Amino acid sequence: MFRIGGGEFRPGRQETMFSKLLKRRAPVKAPETPRVPDGQIVWAIGDIHGRLDLLKPLVEAIRIDAAASDARKKTVVFLGDYIDRGPDSRGVIQYLAALPKGEGIEWRFLKGNHEEAMLDFLDNPTTGPTWCEYGGDATLASYGLRLPQIKHKAGGWAHVSADLDHKVTPTERAFLENLELCVSEGDYFFAHAGARPGVALADQSARDLMWIRNSFLHSNVEFEKVVVHGHTPTQQIQADHRRIGVDTKAYESGVLTALRLWDTQRQAMHSEHGVVRSSTLDPVGRRIETGFAGRAADLNADHPSRPRGAI
């Protein structure tokens, strides 16, 4: 130990601090040609938002595709936001919770910010007005419940929360409470909303994985894997070298989209009017498809600066 500028310098301790700092700041490059592991096929399904009518044909098409595939591992990742806005949130939860386990398909269910909002309402009824402003009223309706007549009275929301808690079955509750925050397969990282630039994927916060928007979308900072996400709607799949957005605003557009990944290949699958069609995407992901389908305010907002319930 010796002194520099009146302060003590401990070589071992300081070198460790500096090496950690340099490691954290080191630039990360996305994989040049991202791929899933050999012998594996992955499907990632975008935001469903109560559209059971679009979900069923898409899942059936994936099951048929999986049955015809000789892949050793078959994984389906649901990117979250199963509920709200669309007509049958409860039906979607029940359908997903009942998917068969014996077909050689690994079903992975991620948690979206809308699922978090529903669980928050069950625990804290005062969040009801905000949740329903962003589609929670459709979920309540799917459980046969109506909004309180006087929306600013806490007692009314407490009754609705208690009624919802009574109607949610143990199977439905277990499904919601056991959702994952992220999944990693090969060169791909799956999360509902995205990831915080400059933070290792393994160190991402739950809040960012479910809620981030502006900071993720408008950054050029790359991650160690390609991030596959929903949360921000576009008219088509939006892909570049660092991320792939799969939310095509199913509750309004009538199109539910999935991404199919095999080796370095990428395909899009679209469920519309009971028909599932597919198209091939750029395998390196350099093409960017534009066409934002939501409000400009949604695209230009991020959770740290927006109200807690803005979803």
Side-chain angles (χ1 to χ4, degrees):
M1 179 183 71
F2 55 92
R3 295 180 179 275
I4 298 180
E8 295 181 350
F9 178 71
R10 300 177 183 271
R13 181 180 178 185
Q14 296 291 334
E15 286 169 6
T16 300
M17 290 174 61
F18 287 132
S19 64
K20 286 183 178 180
L21 184 60
L22 289 173
K23 183 177 180 181
R24 186 161 54 243
R25 290 180 176 176
V28 174
K29 298 295 292 181
E32 284 293 326
T33 307
R35 66 177 66 232
V36 294
D38 291 340
Q40 184 176 7
I41 185 169
V42 180
W43 298 264
I45 298 178
D47 300 31
I48 300 164
H49 281 304
R51 291 302 300 265
L52 182 61
D53 58 322
L54 302 177
L55 175 63
K56 283 184 174 181
L58 184 57
V59 170
E60 288 308 306
I62 289 173
R63 291 170 71 182
I64 292 171
D65 189 17
S69 171
D70 59 0
R72 294 187 301 274
K73 184 177 180 182
K74 305 166 187 179
T75 304
V76 179
V77 180
F78 295 86
L79 293 171
D81 277 7
Y82 314 116
I83 63 168
D84 294 352
R85 294 178 172 154
D88 198 359
S89 293
R90 186 180 197 181
V92 169
I93 293 174
Q94 292 174 333
Y95 178 79
L96 295 177
L99 283 172
K101 305 297 190 293
E103 296 182 350
I105 298 176
E106 179 186 35
W107 308 102
R108 306 291 294 270
F109 305 99
L110 301 189
K111 188 177 185 179
N113 54 321
H114 284 259
E115 285 76 55
E116 184 183 54
M118 179 179 176
L119 290 171
D120 283 349
F121 176 64
L122 288 169
D123 292 336
N124 179 11
T126 63
T127 64
T130 302
W131 177 41
C132 289
E133 182 181 350
Y134 292 93
D137 54 336
T139 296
L140 292 176
S142 74
Y143 280 88
L145 299 174
R146 293 183 294 182
L147 304 184
Q149 291 184 340
I150 305 177
K151 296 183 178 60
H152 65 276
K153 293 289 188 180
W157 288 107
H159 284 301
V160 175
S161 177
D163 288 343
L164 179 61
D165 186 59
H166 178 73
K167 286 178 175 288
V168 172
T169 67
T171 299
E172 294 165 5
R173 169 78 80 156
F175 174 81
L176 292 168
E177 290 182 343
N178 288 283
L179 297 172
E180 300 178 86
L181 291 173
C182 58
V183 170
S184 184
E185 298 288 355
D187 292 326
Y188 293 94
F189 179 85
F190 304 83
H192 171 65
R196 174 72 57 184
V199 178
L201 293 175
D203 297 329
Q204 295 287 325
S205 70
R207 180 77 175 154
D208 281 334
L209 293 172
M210 288 186 289
W211 290 84
I212 198 168
R213 182 170 275 133
N214 186 53
S215 299
F216 169 63
L217 297 177
H218 295 284
S219 173
N220 291 321
V221 175
E222 299 179 18
F223 299 93
E224 56 269 36
K225 299 189 178 195
V226 175
V227 179
V228 180
H229 65 95
H231 189 56
T232 298
T234 50
Q235 290 178 347
Q236 300 172 342
I237 284 181
Q238 187 171 39
D240 61 24
H241 63 291
R242 58 189 291 273
R243 68 178 185 90
I244 307 175
V246 194
D247 179 7
T248 49
K249 206 177 187 182
Y251 70 93
E252 184 173 287
S253 70
V255 180
L256 177 62
T257 298
L259 175 68
R260 182 185 190 271
L261 301 170
W262 164 259
D263 191 43
T264 61
Q265 300 175 36
R266 297 173 177 176
Q267 281 186 309
M269 302 174 67
H270 308 282
S271 175
E272 184 177 14
H273 302 306
V275 176
V276 177
R277 55 188 173 86
S278 62
S279 59
T280 301
L281 301 175
D282 181 349
V284 252
R286 301 299 176 183
R287 182 182 68 193
I288 299 178
E289 297 179 35
T290 59
F292 180 61
R295 298 173 300 173
D298 288 335
L299 183 60
N300 295 320
D302 200 359
H303 62 76
S305 59
R306 68 193 299 174
R308 173 64 178 82
I311 54 182

